[in-house]
mmCIF file with all atom_site columns, all heavy atoms in Angstrom:
data_model
loop_
_atom_site.group_PDB
_atom_site.id
_atom_site.type_symbol
_atom_site.label_atom_id
_atom_site.label_alt_id
_atom_site.label_comp_id
_atom_site.label_asym_id
_atom_site.label_entity_id
_atom_site.label_seq_id
_atom_site.pdbx_PDB_ins_code
_atom_site.Cartn_x
_atom_site.Cartn_y
_atom_site.Cartn_z
_atom_site.occupancy
_atom_site.B_iso_or_equiv
_atom_site.pdbx_formal_charge
_atom_site.auth_seq_id
_atom_site.auth_comp_id
_atom_site.auth_asym_id
_atom_site.auth_atom_id
_atom_site.pdbx_PDB_model_num
ATOM 1   N N   . VAL S 1 97  ? 126.372 92.118  93.057  1.00 97.00 ? 325 VAL S N   1
ATOM 2   C CA  . VAL S 1 97  ? 127.254 91.998  94.214  1.00 97.00 ? 325 VAL S CA  1
ATOM 3   C C   . VAL S 1 97  ? 127.012 93.172  95.159  1.00 97.00 ? 325 VAL S C   1
ATOM 4   O O   . VAL S 1 97  ? 126.794 94.292  94.723  1.00 97.00 ? 325 VAL S O   1
ATOM 5   C CB  . VAL S 1 97  ? 128.752 91.926  93.785  1.00 97.00 ? 325 VAL S CB  1
ATOM 6   C CG1 . VAL S 1 97  ? 129.057 90.610  93.112  1.00 97.00 ? 325 VAL S CG1 1
ATOM 7   C CG2 . VAL S 1 97  ? 129.104 93.080  92.851  1.00 97.00 ? 325 VAL S CG2 1
ATOM 8   N N   . PRO S 1 98  ? 127.022 92.884  96.472  1.00 97.00 ? 326 PRO S N   1
ATOM 9   C CA  . PRO S 1 98  ? 126.755 93.950  97.448  1.00 97.00 ? 326 PRO S CA  1
ATOM 10  C C   . PRO S 1 98  ? 127.974 94.835  97.678  1.00 97.00 ? 326 PRO S C   1
ATOM 11  O O   . PRO S 1 98  ? 129.111 94.357  97.733  1.00 97.00 ? 326 PRO S O   1
ATOM 12  C CB  . PRO S 1 98  ? 126.391 93.179  98.706  1.00 97.00 ? 326 PRO S CB  1
ATOM 13  C CG  . PRO S 1 98  ? 127.096 91.869  98.569  1.00 97.00 ? 326 PRO S CG  1
ATOM 14  C CD  . PRO S 1 98  ? 127.142 91.574  97.096  1.00 97.00 ? 326 PRO S CD  1
ATOM 15  N N   . MET S 1 99  ? 127.711 96.124  97.818  1.00 98.00 ? 327 MET S N   1
ATOM 16  C CA  . MET S 1 99  ? 128.769 97.086  98.127  1.00 98.00 ? 327 MET S CA  1
ATOM 17  C C   . MET S 1 99  ? 128.766 97.352  99.618  1.00 98.00 ? 327 MET S C   1
ATOM 18  O O   . MET S 1 99  ? 127.702 97.448  100.242 1.00 98.00 ? 327 MET S O   1
ATOM 19  C CB  . MET S 1 99  ? 128.552 98.403  97.384  1.00 98.00 ? 327 MET S CB  1
ATOM 20  C CG  . MET S 1 99  ? 128.607 98.309  95.883  1.00 98.00 ? 327 MET S CG  1
ATOM 21  S SD  . MET S 1 99  ? 128.545 99.939  95.053  1.00 98.00 ? 327 MET S SD  1
ATOM 22  C CE  . MET S 1 99  ? 127.081 100.687 95.735  1.00 98.00 ? 327 MET S CE  1
ATOM 23  N N   . ILE S 1 100 ? 129.946 97.512  100.185 1.00 98.00 ? 328 ILE S N   1
ATOM 24  C CA  . ILE S 1 100 ? 130.107 97.854  101.595 1.00 98.00 ? 328 ILE S CA  1
ATOM 25  C C   . ILE S 1 100 ? 130.526 99.321  101.660 1.00 98.00 ? 328 ILE S C   1
ATOM 26  O O   . ILE S 1 100 ? 131.530 99.716  101.058 1.00 98.00 ? 328 ILE S O   1
ATOM 27  C CB  . ILE S 1 100 ? 131.174 96.966  102.265 1.00 98.00 ? 328 ILE S CB  1
ATOM 28  C CG1 . ILE S 1 100 ? 130.762 95.507  102.184 1.00 98.00 ? 328 ILE S CG1 1
ATOM 29  C CG2 . ILE S 1 100 ? 131.392 97.401  103.717 1.00 98.00 ? 328 ILE S CG2 1
ATOM 30  C CD1 . ILE S 1 100 ? 131.888 94.539  102.514 1.00 98.00 ? 328 ILE S CD1 1
ATOM 31  N N   . PHE S 1 101 ? 129.761 100.115 102.383 1.00 98.00 ? 329 PHE S N   1
ATOM 32  C CA  . PHE S 1 101 ? 130.049 101.540 102.533 1.00 98.00 ? 329 PHE S CA  1
ATOM 33  C C   . PHE S 1 101 ? 131.242 101.725 103.467 1.00 98.00 ? 329 PHE S C   1
ATOM 34  O O   . PHE S 1 101 ? 131.281 101.170 104.557 1.00 98.00 ? 329 PHE S O   1
ATOM 35  C CB  . PHE S 1 101 ? 128.821 102.260 103.096 1.00 98.00 ? 329 PHE S CB  1
ATOM 36  C CG  . PHE S 1 101 ? 128.988 103.737 103.281 1.00 98.00 ? 329 PHE S CG  1
ATOM 37  C CD1 . PHE S 1 101 ? 129.194 104.580 102.216 1.00 98.00 ? 329 PHE S CD1 1
ATOM 38  C CD2 . PHE S 1 101 ? 128.919 104.292 104.555 1.00 98.00 ? 329 PHE S CD2 1
ATOM 39  C CE1 . PHE S 1 101 ? 129.319 105.948 102.388 1.00 98.00 ? 329 PHE S CE1 1
ATOM 40  C CE2 . PHE S 1 101 ? 129.048 105.661 104.743 1.00 98.00 ? 329 PHE S CE2 1
ATOM 41  C CZ  . PHE S 1 101 ? 129.244 106.489 103.649 1.00 98.00 ? 329 PHE S CZ  1
ATOM 42  N N   . VAL S 1 102 ? 132.215 102.522 103.028 1.00 98.00 ? 330 VAL S N   1
ATOM 43  C CA  . VAL S 1 102 ? 133.415 102.785 103.813 1.00 98.00 ? 330 VAL S CA  1
ATOM 44  C C   . VAL S 1 102 ? 133.345 104.158 104.478 1.00 98.00 ? 330 VAL S C   1
ATOM 45  O O   . VAL S 1 102 ? 133.778 104.339 105.607 1.00 98.00 ? 330 VAL S O   1
ATOM 46  C CB  . VAL S 1 102 ? 134.679 102.668 102.936 1.00 98.00 ? 330 VAL S CB  1
ATOM 47  C CG1 . VAL S 1 102 ? 135.936 102.998 103.719 1.00 98.00 ? 330 VAL S CG1 1
ATOM 48  C CG2 . VAL S 1 102 ? 134.776 101.276 102.323 1.00 98.00 ? 330 VAL S CG2 1
ATOM 49  N N   . GLY S 1 103 ? 132.776 105.152 103.779 1.00 97.00 ? 331 GLY S N   1
ATOM 50  C CA  . GLY S 1 103 ? 132.677 106.499 104.316 1.00 97.00 ? 331 GLY S CA  1
ATOM 51  C C   . GLY S 1 103 ? 132.660 107.534 103.212 1.00 97.00 ? 331 GLY S C   1
ATOM 52  O O   . GLY S 1 103 ? 132.595 107.192 102.028 1.00 97.00 ? 331 GLY S O   1
ATOM 53  N N   . TYR S 1 104 ? 132.727 108.795 103.616 1.00 97.00 ? 332 TYR S N   1
ATOM 54  C CA  . TYR S 1 104 ? 132.762 109.875 102.630 1.00 97.00 ? 332 TYR S CA  1
ATOM 55  C C   . TYR S 1 104 ? 133.607 111.030 103.151 1.00 97.00 ? 332 TYR S C   1
ATOM 56  O O   . TYR S 1 104 ? 133.899 111.129 104.337 1.00 97.00 ? 332 TYR S O   1
ATOM 57  C CB  . TYR S 1 104 ? 131.352 110.358 102.268 1.00 97.00 ? 332 TYR S CB  1
ATOM 58  C CG  . TYR S 1 104 ? 130.718 111.311 103.253 1.00 97.00 ? 332 TYR S CG  1
ATOM 59  C CD1 . TYR S 1 104 ? 130.828 112.689 103.076 1.00 97.00 ? 332 TYR S CD1 1
ATOM 60  C CD2 . TYR S 1 104 ? 130.001 110.856 104.353 1.00 97.00 ? 332 TYR S CD2 1
ATOM 61  C CE1 . TYR S 1 104 ? 130.242 113.583 103.981 1.00 97.00 ? 332 TYR S CE1 1
ATOM 62  C CE2 . TYR S 1 104 ? 129.414 111.736 105.243 1.00 97.00 ? 332 TYR S CE2 1
ATOM 63  C CZ  . TYR S 1 104 ? 129.537 113.088 105.057 1.00 97.00 ? 332 TYR S CZ  1
ATOM 64  O OH  . TYR S 1 104 ? 128.957 113.973 105.940 1.00 97.00 ? 332 TYR S OH  1
ATOM 65  N N   . GLU S 1 105 ? 134.003 111.888 102.211 1.00 96.00 ? 333 GLU S N   1
ATOM 66  C CA  . GLU S 1 105 ? 134.746 113.098 102.556 1.00 96.00 ? 333 GLU S CA  1
ATOM 67  C C   . GLU S 1 105 ? 134.480 114.141 101.478 1.00 96.00 ? 333 GLU S C   1
ATOM 68  O O   . GLU S 1 105 ? 134.082 113.820 100.364 1.00 96.00 ? 333 GLU S O   1
ATOM 69  C CB  . GLU S 1 105 ? 136.247 112.822 102.666 1.00 96.00 ? 333 GLU S CB  1
ATOM 70  C CG  . GLU S 1 105 ? 136.898 112.393 101.351 1.00 96.00 ? 333 GLU S CG  1
ATOM 71  C CD  . GLU S 1 105 ? 138.383 112.099 101.470 1.00 96.00 ? 333 GLU S CD  1
ATOM 72  O OE1 . GLU S 1 105 ? 139.043 112.680 102.349 1.00 96.00 ? 333 GLU S OE1 1
ATOM 73  O OE2 . GLU S 1 105 ? 138.875 111.277 100.682 1.00 96.00 ? 333 GLU S OE2 1
ATOM 74  N N   . GLN S 1 106 ? 134.702 115.394 101.870 1.00 95.00 ? 334 GLN S N   1
ATOM 75  C CA  . GLN S 1 106 ? 134.592 116.462 100.891 1.00 95.00 ? 334 GLN S CA  1
ATOM 76  C C   . GLN S 1 106 ? 135.975 116.781 100.366 1.00 95.00 ? 334 GLN S C   1
ATOM 77  O O   . GLN S 1 106 ? 136.931 116.914 101.138 1.00 95.00 ? 334 GLN S O   1
ATOM 78  C CB  . GLN S 1 106 ? 133.974 117.721 101.473 1.00 95.00 ? 334 GLN S CB  1
ATOM 79  C CG  . GLN S 1 106 ? 133.808 118.772 100.381 1.00 95.00 ? 334 GLN S CG  1
ATOM 80  C CD  . GLN S 1 106 ? 133.597 120.166 100.889 1.00 95.00 ? 334 GLN S CD  1
ATOM 81  O OE1 . GLN S 1 106 ? 134.029 120.524 101.959 1.00 95.00 ? 334 GLN S OE1 1
ATOM 82  N NE2 . GLN S 1 106 ? 132.944 120.978 100.076 1.00 95.00 ? 334 GLN S NE2 1
ATOM 83  N N   . ILE S 1 107 ? 136.094 116.881 99.051  1.00 95.00 ? 335 ILE S N   1
ATOM 84  C CA  . ILE S 1 107 ? 137.320 117.328 98.402  1.00 95.00 ? 335 ILE S CA  1
ATOM 85  C C   . ILE S 1 107 ? 136.900 118.385 97.392  1.00 95.00 ? 335 ILE S C   1
ATOM 86  O O   . ILE S 1 107 ? 136.087 118.118 96.500  1.00 95.00 ? 335 ILE S O   1
ATOM 87  C CB  . ILE S 1 107 ? 138.057 116.165 97.697  1.00 95.00 ? 335 ILE S CB  1
ATOM 88  C CG1 . ILE S 1 107 ? 138.424 115.075 98.714  1.00 95.00 ? 335 ILE S CG1 1
ATOM 89  C CG2 . ILE S 1 107 ? 139.299 116.688 96.984  1.00 95.00 ? 335 ILE S CG2 1
ATOM 90  C CD1 . ILE S 1 107 ? 139.044 113.836 98.099  1.00 95.00 ? 335 ILE S CD1 1
ATOM 91  N N   . ASP S 1 108 ? 137.442 119.577 97.558  1.00 93.00 ? 336 ASP S N   1
ATOM 92  C CA  . ASP S 1 108 ? 137.080 120.722 96.716  1.00 93.00 ? 336 ASP S CA  1
ATOM 93  C C   . ASP S 1 108 ? 135.560 120.909 96.741  1.00 93.00 ? 336 ASP S C   1
ATOM 94  O O   . ASP S 1 108 ? 134.987 121.048 97.812  1.00 93.00 ? 336 ASP S O   1
ATOM 95  C CB  . ASP S 1 108 ? 137.623 120.551 95.295  1.00 93.00 ? 336 ASP S CB  1
ATOM 96  C CG  . ASP S 1 108 ? 139.148 120.514 95.270  1.00 93.00 ? 336 ASP S CG  1
ATOM 97  O OD1 . ASP S 1 108 ? 139.783 121.200 96.098  1.00 93.00 ? 336 ASP S OD1 1
ATOM 98  O OD2 . ASP S 1 108 ? 139.717 119.793 94.431  1.00 93.00 ? 336 ASP S OD2 1
ATOM 99  N N   . GLU S 1 109 ? 134.918 120.885 95.579  1.00 92.00 ? 337 GLU S N   1
ATOM 100 C CA  . GLU S 1 109 ? 133.480 121.134 95.509  1.00 92.00 ? 337 GLU S CA  1
ATOM 101 C C   . GLU S 1 109 ? 132.655 119.851 95.480  1.00 92.00 ? 337 GLU S C   1
ATOM 102 O O   . GLU S 1 109 ? 131.463 119.887 95.205  1.00 92.00 ? 337 GLU S O   1
ATOM 103 C CB  . GLU S 1 109 ? 133.170 121.969 94.268  1.00 92.00 ? 337 GLU S CB  1
ATOM 104 C CG  . GLU S 1 109 ? 133.773 123.355 94.327  1.00 92.00 ? 337 GLU S CG  1
ATOM 105 C CD  . GLU S 1 109 ? 133.491 124.156 93.070  1.00 92.00 ? 337 GLU S CD  1
ATOM 106 O OE1 . GLU S 1 109 ? 132.680 123.715 92.238  1.00 92.00 ? 337 GLU S OE1 1
ATOM 107 O OE2 . GLU S 1 109 ? 134.068 125.235 92.931  1.00 92.00 ? 337 GLU S OE2 1
ATOM 108 N N   . GLY S 1 110 ? 133.291 118.721 95.756  1.00 95.00 ? 338 GLY S N   1
ATOM 109 C CA  . GLY S 1 110 ? 132.591 117.462 95.646  1.00 95.00 ? 338 GLY S CA  1
ATOM 110 C C   . GLY S 1 110 ? 132.613 116.609 96.894  1.00 95.00 ? 338 GLY S C   1
ATOM 111 O O   . GLY S 1 110 ? 133.480 116.759 97.746  1.00 95.00 ? 338 GLY S O   1
ATOM 112 N N   . ILE S 1 111 ? 131.645 115.732 96.957  1.00 97.00 ? 339 ILE S N   1
ATOM 113 C CA  . ILE S 1 111 ? 131.596 114.708 98.001  1.00 97.00 ? 339 ILE S CA  1
ATOM 114 C C   . ILE S 1 111 ? 132.057 113.415 97.343  1.00 97.00 ? 339 ILE S C   1
ATOM 115 O O   . ILE S 1 111 ? 131.528 112.990 96.315  1.00 97.00 ? 339 ILE S O   1
ATOM 116 C CB  . ILE S 1 111 ? 130.155 114.540 98.541  1.00 97.00 ? 339 ILE S CB  1
ATOM 117 C CG1 . ILE S 1 111 ? 129.693 115.803 99.251  1.00 97.00 ? 339 ILE S CG1 1
ATOM 118 C CG2 . ILE S 1 111 ? 130.069 113.314 99.470  1.00 97.00 ? 339 ILE S CG2 1
ATOM 119 C CD1 . ILE S 1 111 ? 130.486 116.181 100.500 1.00 97.00 ? 339 ILE S CD1 1
ATOM 120 N N   . PHE S 1 112 ? 133.053 112.788 97.968  1.00 98.00 ? 340 PHE S N   1
ATOM 121 C CA  . PHE S 1 112 ? 133.542 111.498 97.526  1.00 98.00 ? 340 PHE S CA  1
ATOM 122 C C   . PHE S 1 112 ? 133.033 110.468 98.519  1.00 98.00 ? 340 PHE S C   1
ATOM 123 O O   . PHE S 1 112 ? 133.325 110.552 99.711  1.00 98.00 ? 340 PHE S O   1
ATOM 124 C CB  . PHE S 1 112 ? 135.071 111.455 97.506  1.00 98.00 ? 340 PHE S CB  1
ATOM 125 C CG  . PHE S 1 112 ? 135.692 112.179 96.364  1.00 98.00 ? 340 PHE S CG  1
ATOM 126 C CD1 . PHE S 1 112 ? 135.733 113.567 96.316  1.00 98.00 ? 340 PHE S CD1 1
ATOM 127 C CD2 . PHE S 1 112 ? 136.260 111.468 95.313  1.00 98.00 ? 340 PHE S CD2 1
ATOM 128 C CE1 . PHE S 1 112 ? 136.304 114.236 95.265  1.00 98.00 ? 340 PHE S CE1 1
ATOM 129 C CE2 . PHE S 1 112 ? 136.841 112.139 94.248  1.00 98.00 ? 340 PHE S CE2 1
ATOM 130 C CZ  . PHE S 1 112 ? 136.874 113.522 94.206  1.00 98.00 ? 340 PHE S CZ  1
ATOM 131 N N   . SER S 1 113 ? 132.265 109.492 98.041  1.00 98.00 ? 341 SER S N   1
ATOM 132 C CA  . SER S 1 113 ? 131.841 108.397 98.900  1.00 98.00 ? 341 SER S CA  1
ATOM 133 C C   . SER S 1 113 ? 132.560 107.146 98.427  1.00 98.00 ? 341 SER S C   1
ATOM 134 O O   . SER S 1 113 ? 132.824 106.972 97.236  1.00 98.00 ? 341 SER S O   1
ATOM 135 C CB  . SER S 1 113 ? 130.324 108.218 98.895  1.00 98.00 ? 341 SER S CB  1
ATOM 136 O OG  . SER S 1 113 ? 129.836 107.987 97.604  1.00 98.00 ? 341 SER S OG  1
ATOM 137 N N   . TYR S 1 114 ? 132.887 106.271 99.405  1.00 98.00 ? 342 TYR S N   1
ATOM 138 C CA  . TYR S 1 114 ? 133.741 105.130 99.123  1.00 98.00 ? 342 TYR S CA  1
ATOM 139 C C   . TYR S 1 114 ? 133.053 103.827 99.511  1.00 98.00 ? 342 TYR S C   1
ATOM 140 O O   . TYR S 1 114 ? 132.392 103.742 100.548 1.00 98.00 ? 342 TYR S O   1
ATOM 141 C CB  . TYR S 1 114 ? 135.061 105.265 99.889  1.00 98.00 ? 342 TYR S CB  1
ATOM 142 C CG  . TYR S 1 114 ? 135.801 106.546 99.578  1.00 98.00 ? 342 TYR S CG  1
ATOM 143 C CD1 . TYR S 1 114 ? 135.772 107.622 100.458 1.00 98.00 ? 342 TYR S CD1 1
ATOM 144 C CD2 . TYR S 1 114 ? 136.522 106.684 98.397  1.00 98.00 ? 342 TYR S CD2 1
ATOM 145 C CE1 . TYR S 1 114 ? 136.435 108.800 100.179 1.00 98.00 ? 342 TYR S CE1 1
ATOM 146 C CE2 . TYR S 1 114 ? 137.188 107.874 98.106  1.00 98.00 ? 342 TYR S CE2 1
ATOM 147 C CZ  . TYR S 1 114 ? 137.141 108.920 98.997  1.00 98.00 ? 342 TYR S CZ  1
ATOM 148 O OH  . TYR S 1 114 ? 137.791 110.089 98.708  1.00 98.00 ? 342 TYR S OH  1
ATOM 149 N N   . TYR S 1 115 ? 133.268 102.805 98.670  1.00 98.00 ? 343 TYR S N   1
ATOM 150 C CA  . TYR S 1 115 ? 132.655 101.485 98.853  1.00 98.00 ? 343 TYR S CA  1
ATOM 151 C C   . TYR S 1 115 ? 133.675 100.413 98.506  1.00 98.00 ? 343 TYR S C   1
ATOM 152 O O   . TYR S 1 115 ? 134.660 100.678 97.811  1.00 98.00 ? 343 TYR S O   1
ATOM 153 C CB  . TYR S 1 115 ? 131.419 101.337 97.943  1.00 98.00 ? 343 TYR S CB  1
ATOM 154 C CG  . TYR S 1 115 ? 130.413 102.426 98.176  1.00 98.00 ? 343 TYR S CG  1
ATOM 155 C CD1 . TYR S 1 115 ? 130.569 103.673 97.576  1.00 98.00 ? 343 TYR S CD1 1
ATOM 156 C CD2 . TYR S 1 115 ? 129.354 102.234 99.033  1.00 98.00 ? 343 TYR S CD2 1
ATOM 157 C CE1 . TYR S 1 115 ? 129.683 104.699 97.832  1.00 98.00 ? 343 TYR S CE1 1
ATOM 158 C CE2 . TYR S 1 115 ? 128.461 103.257 99.291  1.00 98.00 ? 343 TYR S CE2 1
ATOM 159 C CZ  . TYR S 1 115 ? 128.633 104.489 98.682  1.00 98.00 ? 343 TYR S CZ  1
ATOM 160 O OH  . TYR S 1 115 ? 127.759 105.499 98.950  1.00 98.00 ? 343 TYR S OH  1
ATOM 161 N N   . GLN S 1 116 ? 133.388 99.202  98.964  1.00 98.00 ? 344 GLN S N   1
ATOM 162 C CA  . GLN S 1 116 ? 134.197 98.048  98.608  1.00 98.00 ? 344 GLN S CA  1
ATOM 163 C C   . GLN S 1 116 ? 133.285 96.893  98.268  1.00 98.00 ? 344 GLN S C   1
ATOM 164 O O   . GLN S 1 116 ? 132.178 96.784  98.786  1.00 98.00 ? 344 GLN S O   1
ATOM 165 C CB  . GLN S 1 116 ? 135.074 97.610  99.789  1.00 98.00 ? 344 GLN S CB  1
ATOM 166 C CG  . GLN S 1 116 ? 136.096 98.608  100.227 1.00 98.00 ? 344 GLN S CG  1
ATOM 167 C CD  . GLN S 1 116 ? 136.849 98.143  101.474 1.00 98.00 ? 344 GLN S CD  1
ATOM 168 O OE1 . GLN S 1 116 ? 136.414 97.254  102.195 1.00 98.00 ? 344 GLN S OE1 1
ATOM 169 N NE2 . GLN S 1 116 ? 137.987 98.760  101.713 1.00 98.00 ? 344 GLN S NE2 1
ATOM 170 N N   . ILE S 1 117 ? 133.787 96.029  97.397  1.00 98.00 ? 345 ILE S N   1
ATOM 171 C CA  . ILE S 1 117 ? 133.148 94.747  97.140  1.00 98.00 ? 345 ILE S CA  1
ATOM 172 C C   . ILE S 1 117 ? 134.239 93.719  97.398  1.00 98.00 ? 345 ILE S C   1
ATOM 173 O O   . ILE S 1 117 ? 135.286 93.743  96.746  1.00 98.00 ? 345 ILE S O   1
ATOM 174 C CB  . ILE S 1 117 ? 132.604 94.640  95.713  1.00 98.00 ? 345 ILE S CB  1
ATOM 175 C CG1 . ILE S 1 117 ? 131.516 95.707  95.485  1.00 98.00 ? 345 ILE S CG1 1
ATOM 176 C CG2 . ILE S 1 117 ? 132.082 93.244  95.438  1.00 98.00 ? 345 ILE S CG2 1
ATOM 177 C CD1 . ILE S 1 117 ? 130.996 95.790  94.075  1.00 98.00 ? 345 ILE S CD1 1
ATOM 178 N N   . GLU S 1 118 ? 133.993 92.851  98.356  1.00 97.00 ? 346 GLU S N   1
ATOM 179 C CA  . GLU S 1 118 ? 135.010 91.891  98.787  1.00 97.00 ? 346 GLU S CA  1
ATOM 180 C C   . GLU S 1 118 ? 134.939 90.589  98.009  1.00 97.00 ? 346 GLU S C   1
ATOM 181 O O   . GLU S 1 118 ? 133.937 90.302  97.345  1.00 97.00 ? 346 GLU S O   1
ATOM 182 C CB  . GLU S 1 118 ? 134.853 91.632  100.287 1.00 97.00 ? 346 GLU S CB  1
ATOM 183 C CG  . GLU S 1 118 ? 135.078 92.879  101.126 1.00 97.00 ? 346 GLU S CG  1
ATOM 184 C CD  . GLU S 1 118 ? 134.867 92.665  102.607 1.00 97.00 ? 346 GLU S CD  1
ATOM 185 O OE1 . GLU S 1 118 ? 134.168 91.701  102.997 1.00 97.00 ? 346 GLU S OE1 1
ATOM 186 O OE2 . GLU S 1 118 ? 135.404 93.481  103.386 1.00 97.00 ? 346 GLU S OE2 1
ATOM 187 N N   . ASN S 1 119 ? 135.994 89.802  98.138  1.00 97.00 ? 347 ASN S N   1
ATOM 188 C CA  . ASN S 1 119 ? 136.095 88.463  97.536  1.00 97.00 ? 347 ASN S CA  1
ATOM 189 C C   . ASN S 1 119 ? 135.980 88.500  96.016  1.00 97.00 ? 347 ASN S C   1
ATOM 190 O O   . ASN S 1 119 ? 135.262 87.684  95.424  1.00 97.00 ? 347 ASN S O   1
ATOM 191 C CB  . ASN S 1 119 ? 135.066 87.501  98.136  1.00 97.00 ? 347 ASN S CB  1
ATOM 192 C CG  . ASN S 1 119 ? 135.225 87.370  99.628  1.00 97.00 ? 347 ASN S CG  1
ATOM 193 O OD1 . ASN S 1 119 ? 136.344 87.228  100.124 1.00 97.00 ? 347 ASN S OD1 1
ATOM 194 N ND2 . ASN S 1 119 ? 134.114 87.442  100.350 1.00 97.00 ? 347 ASN S ND2 1
ATOM 195 N N   . VAL S 1 120 ? 136.682 89.427  95.395  1.00 97.00 ? 348 VAL S N   1
ATOM 196 C CA  . VAL S 1 120 ? 136.691 89.534  93.940  1.00 97.00 ? 348 VAL S CA  1
ATOM 197 C C   . VAL S 1 120 ? 138.095 89.149  93.468  1.00 97.00 ? 348 VAL S C   1
ATOM 198 O O   . VAL S 1 120 ? 139.016 89.961  93.494  1.00 97.00 ? 348 VAL S O   1
ATOM 199 C CB  . VAL S 1 120 ? 136.329 90.957  93.465  1.00 97.00 ? 348 VAL S CB  1
ATOM 200 C CG1 . VAL S 1 120 ? 136.349 91.026  91.946  1.00 97.00 ? 348 VAL S CG1 1
ATOM 201 C CG2 . VAL S 1 120 ? 134.966 91.366  94.007  1.00 97.00 ? 348 VAL S CG2 1
ATOM 202 N N   . VAL S 1 121 ? 138.237 87.896  93.068  1.00 96.00 ? 349 VAL S N   1
ATOM 203 C CA  . VAL S 1 121 ? 139.539 87.396  92.641  1.00 96.00 ? 349 VAL S CA  1
ATOM 204 C C   . VAL S 1 121 ? 139.930 87.971  91.300  1.00 96.00 ? 349 VAL S C   1
ATOM 205 O O   . VAL S 1 121 ? 141.064 88.395  91.094  1.00 96.00 ? 349 VAL S O   1
ATOM 206 C CB  . VAL S 1 121 ? 139.534 85.841  92.605  1.00 96.00 ? 349 VAL S CB  1
ATOM 207 C CG1 . VAL S 1 121 ? 140.849 85.299  92.085  1.00 96.00 ? 349 VAL S CG1 1
ATOM 208 C CG2 . VAL S 1 121 ? 139.216 85.284  93.987  1.00 96.00 ? 349 VAL S CG2 1
ATOM 209 N N   . SER S 1 122 ? 138.973 87.994  90.367  1.00 96.00 ? 350 SER S N   1
ATOM 210 C CA  . SER S 1 122 ? 139.253 88.544  89.036  1.00 96.00 ? 350 SER S CA  1
ATOM 211 C C   . SER S 1 122 ? 137.975 89.198  88.493  1.00 96.00 ? 350 SER S C   1
ATOM 212 O O   . SER S 1 122 ? 136.882 88.952  88.982  1.00 96.00 ? 350 SER S O   1
ATOM 213 C CB  . SER S 1 122 ? 139.727 87.448  88.082  1.00 96.00 ? 350 SER S CB  1
ATOM 214 O OG  . SER S 1 122 ? 138.697 86.518  87.852  1.00 96.00 ? 350 SER S OG  1
ATOM 215 N N   . VAL S 1 123 ? 138.168 90.022  87.488  1.00 97.00 ? 351 VAL S N   1
ATOM 216 C CA  . VAL S 1 123 ? 137.040 90.691  86.835  1.00 97.00 ? 351 VAL S CA  1
ATOM 217 C C   . VAL S 1 123 ? 137.159 90.438  85.342  1.00 97.00 ? 351 VAL S C   1
ATOM 218 O O   . VAL S 1 123 ? 138.145 90.824  84.721  1.00 97.00 ? 351 VAL S O   1
ATOM 219 C CB  . VAL S 1 123 ? 137.040 92.217  87.113  1.00 97.00 ? 351 VAL S CB  1
ATOM 220 C CG1 . VAL S 1 123 ? 135.912 92.889  86.347  1.00 97.00 ? 351 VAL S CG1 1
ATOM 221 C CG2 . VAL S 1 123 ? 136.945 92.501  88.599  1.00 97.00 ? 351 VAL S CG2 1
ATOM 222 N N   . LYS S 1 124 ? 136.149 89.766  84.807  1.00 97.00 ? 352 LYS S N   1
ATOM 223 C CA  . LYS S 1 124 ? 136.097 89.531  83.357  1.00 97.00 ? 352 LYS S CA  1
ATOM 224 C C   . LYS S 1 124 ? 134.961 90.339  82.734  1.00 97.00 ? 352 LYS S C   1
ATOM 225 O O   . LYS S 1 124 ? 135.149 91.020  81.754  1.00 97.00 ? 352 LYS S O   1
ATOM 226 C CB  . LYS S 1 124 ? 135.951 88.042  83.078  1.00 97.00 ? 352 LYS S CB  1
ATOM 227 C CG  . LYS S 1 124 ? 137.168 87.236  83.461  1.00 97.00 ? 352 LYS S CG  1
ATOM 228 C CD  . LYS S 1 124 ? 137.040 85.785  83.053  1.00 97.00 ? 352 LYS S CD  1
ATOM 229 C CE  . LYS S 1 124 ? 138.290 85.042  83.386  1.00 97.00 ? 352 LYS S CE  1
ATOM 230 N NZ  . LYS S 1 124 ? 138.282 84.406  84.672  1.00 97.00 ? 352 LYS S NZ  1
#
Side-chain angles (χ1 to χ4, degrees):
V325 289
M327 296 187 306
I328 300 166
F329 180 64
V330 177
Y332 80 94
E333 65 181 332
Q334 183 197 27
I335 301 175
D336 297 327
E337 295 178 10
I339 295 296
F340 285 74
S341 57
Y342 303 102
Y343 304 82
Q344 296 175 342
I345 298 174
E346 297 177 338
N347 301 316
V348 180
V349 176
S350 65
V351 176
K352 292 185 177 93

